[in-house]
Amino acid sequence: MTDSTAGMTPEEARRADEAHTGPMLAADGTPLKKSLARALRRQKLRALGLIAPLLVFVLITFVVPIGDMLLRSIKNDIVADTLPATVETLADWDADASELPGDDVWMAFYVDMWFAAERKEHTRLGSRLNYEQTGVSSLFRKTGRRVDRFDTDVYTDQLVDLDPSWEDPASWAAMLDGPAADALPLTAETWERWKEFNVEEGDAVLEEDVPDFLFTTLYYELNNGAEVDGMSDRLDAAKAAVGEFETVSLQEQFADADEDWLDPEVWKTIQLYSPRVTSGYFANSVDMQLTPEGIEPRPDNQQIYGILFKRTLFMSLVITGSCIMLAYPVAWLLSNLPMRTANLLMILVLLPFWTSLLVRTSAWKVMLQQQGVINDVLVWLGLVADDARLTMINNQFGTIVAMTHILLPFMILPMYSVMSTIPPSYLRAAKSLGATNWTAFWRVYFPQSVPGIGAGSILVFILAIGYYITPEIVGGNTGTFISNRIAYHISSSLNWGLAAALGTILLVVVLVLYWAYDKIVGIDNVKLG
């Protein structure tokens, strides 16, 4: 230290020295600090490039599907997309009243149903609403076949009789491109939808016949006082004459198609599930239901998902416990036998992996049935009477036995990998100090094997809670899991929103249990050897 740096801290001295002599330089003449930062940045980019394919793979195959599942559990676009005008007008309807919606709703619904039927979207909409109210699916299918044959052509005939130019699509285009569009908003909007529909079909709108529903919307707005005075002679004549027109009740037309349209509950269901985001799927997944008054419990005879969730958690814990009890002695034996013998026995542990899961499950179905191998042996030994054979299949017992056998290797392997690293000298040292065999095992050996138990338990529990093939085959009505219901809604009922909500709840339950395990045991203590 020179006189000029006396009394300074080491950091101050270093800075003073750099200011006097300049920063240290690398071989290429750049400051050493800058050169080191550049080299470190290159190493990070190289490491990122090496793991980038794995990150992209995880993002595409894991993160994106989970995000899509979470989105489907609340997404509800089909009602608003299929019945846009109906949803808008129905928003003002009082669902608490016992009266049916007004004429504006029937008018909008007529137009929406025509387009939905032409696009074959009414069946999908009916299937969606049928999840909430039984019978709505057939209601939409029947109406979709009839809506194009409603008696609304009376408005077409009467307007054409007033002025034949109403049949010309070009006259409609000219009229609705001007100020009449503001005076006749429903007709203008319907005309735009008609043009878009023709573009989708590859047709020229000016070459197509003007549909009856356009004449119907025009009559409806003129009859309800649309301000079209002085816009054109045709509109003036039409407005003056509509009061004398022969009319058709759209409500009666829909009632002729199906009387259920006169049930206010149908309209309540449409209004209730018209928002694009809904909590209805989650309400159904916890045995609740969405009503105009809010979320309410379902009747007792319809509450099934709570039972399934409890059964899934309980049986998964039982399966995990049975795997621990069976796997621990096997893993201990493998880790303490000579290597040659242990490797031969390990083949028996891995052998189930070389057999189809369906074959193993079907084998248990054969063995556990009342006329199966196990019952025949028990009868032969005299332990069970021939007319009192045990019922071990299509129940929880059969599911536990079959899944324990299938998941047992996933418990043995982590335990074995951890136990094989425990030095035998620890037990000998404990015994030489006076410990009994039990004390040496419980105080010395067992604590060191806990990480293997933890790793195997997490693996087996997570696999068990999501299993559905084995419970479906051997579980019957009392041995199935919530995953079986999720698979049913995905493949059979096609209620993907409810399946996504059930899957989301199952994911949250697993994450909560994982968090609890980390707090109680510590995830850092989990080892695979």
Side-chain angles (χ1 to χ4, degrees):
M1 181 178 295
T2 63
D3 294 341
S4 59
T5 59
M8 295 184 180
T9 63
E11 180 63 22
E12 293 174 341
R14 183 185 65 79
R15 292 178 179 176
D17 186 62
E18 286 184 356
H20 178 70
T21 62
M24 296 182 64
L25 303 179
D28 59 356
T30 59
L32 181 60
K33 184 176 182 180
K34 183 177 180 180
S35 179
L36 290 175
R38 184 187 303 165
L40 183 61
R41 185 165 56 253
R42 289 175 179 173
Q43 290 181 355
K44 290 181 178 179
L45 292 175
R46 190 180 301 112
L48 180 61
L50 292 174
I51 66 172
L54 179 60
L55 290 176
V56 173
F57 177 80
V58 171
L59 180 66
I60 295 175
T61 62
F62 185 72
V63 177
V64 172
I66 290 180
D68 182 66
M69 179 188 70
L70 296 174
L71 183 61
R72 284 182 181 273
S73 64
I74 59 173
K75 188 177 180 181
N76 187 55
D77 289 335
I78 186 170
V79 180
D81 289 342
T82 310
L83 306 175
T86 306
V87 168
E88 184 178 352
T89 54
L90 195 61
D92 299 328
W93 177 60
D94 185 7
D96 295 331
S98 58
E99 297 179 356
L100 290 169
D103 291 339
D104 56 339
V105 174
W106 292 103
M107 183 71 253
F109 187 58
Y110 169 51
V111 175
D112 286 337
M113 274 299 298
W114 191 95
F115 284 109
E118 290 295 319
R119 293 190 173 105
K120 311 299 182 185
E121 295 175 347
H122 63 294
T123 54
R124 292 179 55 245
L125 175 61
S127 298
R128 165 66 186 97
L129 296 177
N130 198 70
Y131 302 145
E132 316 303 334
Q133 184 176 352
T134 304
V136 175
S137 179
S138 62
L139 178 62
F140 273 88
R141 284 199 303 269
K142 291 170 62 177
T143 306
R145 292 192 295 265
R146 292 283 301 275
V147 70
D148 194 36
R149 300 195 299 270
F150 280 5
D151 296 333
T152 54
D153 56 350
V154 297
Y155 300 120
T156 305
D157 296 339
Q158 293 176 94
L159 283 169
V160 171
D161 288 342
L162 283 177
D163 190 331
S165 64
W166 284 116
E167 286 187 304
D168 185 6
S171 65
W172 287 80
M175 176 183 69
L176 296 175
D177 285 340
D182 296 329
L184 303 169
L186 177 60
T187 305
E189 180 182 355
T190 307
W191 173 255
E192 292 299 323
R193 294 175 66 182
W194 168 245
K195 290 197 298 184
E196 292 176 4
F197 175 75
N198 279 275
V199 171
E200 294 173 5
E201 297 295 316
D203 300 326
V205 66
L206 297 182
E207 297 177 2
E208 297 293 319
D209 294 334
V210 180
D212 293 334
F213 61 80
L214 273 170
F215 288 95
T216 308
T217 58
L218 178 61
Y219 162 78
Y220 176 78
E221 291 193 293
L222 291 176
N223 192 51
N224 282 275
E227 297 294 337
V228 295
D229 297 338
M231 292 184 181
S232 71
D233 293 339
R234 286 191 315 147
L235 282 175
D236 290 341
K239 183 175 182 181
V242 291
E244 305 298 328
F245 273 14
E246 177 186 353
T247 61
V248 172
S249 171
L250 288 176
Q251 178 176 320
E252 293 178 0
Q253 294 292 307
F254 279 103
D256 290 340
D258 196 306
E259 291 184 354
D260 286 344
W261 288 118
L262 302 181
D263 183 4
E265 294 299 323
V266 173
W267 295 98
K268 289 180 181 179
T269 301
I270 296 175
Q271 185 189 59
L272 194 60
Y273 288 91
S274 60
R276 294 184 178 275
V277 176
T278 179
S279 60
Y281 292 126
F282 278 105
N284 292 337
S285 63
V286 292
D287 294 327
M288 308 288 281
Q289 58 185 345
L290 191 61
T291 67
E293 292 75 26
I295 296 179
E296 299 178 353
R298 284 190 174 276
D300 293 340
N301 60 349
Q302 297 181 11
Q303 297 183 8
I304 59 173
Y305 296 115
I307 297 173
L308 287 175
F309 273 115
K310 293 176 183 177
R311 180 193 300 167
T312 300
L313 291 175
F314 169 74
M315 293 181 64
S316 297
L317 290 172
V318 171
I319 292 167
T320 302
S322 61
C323 284
I324 292 174
M325 291 187 293
L326 294 174
Y328 198 95
V330 175
W332 181 87
L333 182 64
L334 291 174
S335 62
N336 286 277
L337 286 175
M339 183 62 67
R340 182 180 180 86
T341 305
N343 288 339
L344 291 176
L345 293 178
M346 182 61 69
I347 295 176
L348 299 179
V349 176
L350 299 177
L351 190 60
F353 289 128
W354 304 339
T355 308
S356 169
L357 175 63
L358 291 176
V359 172
R360 284 180 281 164
T361 304
S362 301
W364 277 112
K365 192 173 183 68
V366 172
M367 293 180 65
L368 294 174
Q369 61 184 331
Q370 288 188 311
Q371 302 301 323
V373 177
I374 296 178
N375 264 306
D376 286 343
V377 172
L378 293 176
V379 171
W380 179 71
L381 293 175
L383 299 177
V384 175
D386 189 45
D387 59 349
R389 290 173 175 255
L390 301 179
T391 303
M392 296 181 290
I393 199 69
N394 296 329
N395 52 28
Q396 293 187 13
F397 178 81
T399 301
I400 292 172
V401 170
M403 289 188 61
T404 298
H405 168 251
I406 291 170
L407 298 178
L408 189 60
F410 294 98
M411 184 70 75
I412 294 177
L413 294 177
M415 285 186 178
Y416 168 71
S417 64
V418 171
M419 291 180 181
S420 61
T421 63
I422 301 176
S425 57
Y426 287 3
L427 287 177
R428 293 196 296 268
K431 292 178 182 179
S432 67
L433 293 174
T436 62
N437 289 336
W438 171 253
T439 302
F441 168 78
W442 186 250
R443 300 289 297 276
V444 177
Y445 190 87
F446 182 79
Q448 297 183 80
S449 66
V450 167
I453 298 175
S457 298
I458 290 180
L459 189 60
V460 169
F461 180 80
I462 292 179
L463 288 174
I465 205 173
Y467 245 65
Y468 72 94
I469 296 179
T470 301
E472 183 70 23
I473 295 176
V474 302
N477 293 328
T478 60
T480 54
F481 286 5
I482 190 64
S483 52
N484 295 104
R485 203 64 185 173
I486 295 174
Y488 166 77
H489 286 308
I490 291 177
S491 60
S492 298
S493 73
L494 303 182
N495 191 350
W496 291 359
L498 180 55
L502 292 171
T504 301
I505 293 176
L506 192 61
L507 174 64
V508 171
V509 169
V510 171
L511 292 177
V512 169
L513 292 175
Y514 183 86
W515 174 82
Y517 181 90
D518 182 41
K519 291 296 182 181
I520 297 173
V521 178
I523 200 65
D524 294 337
N525 294 325
V526 174
K527 298 179 181 178
L528 293 174

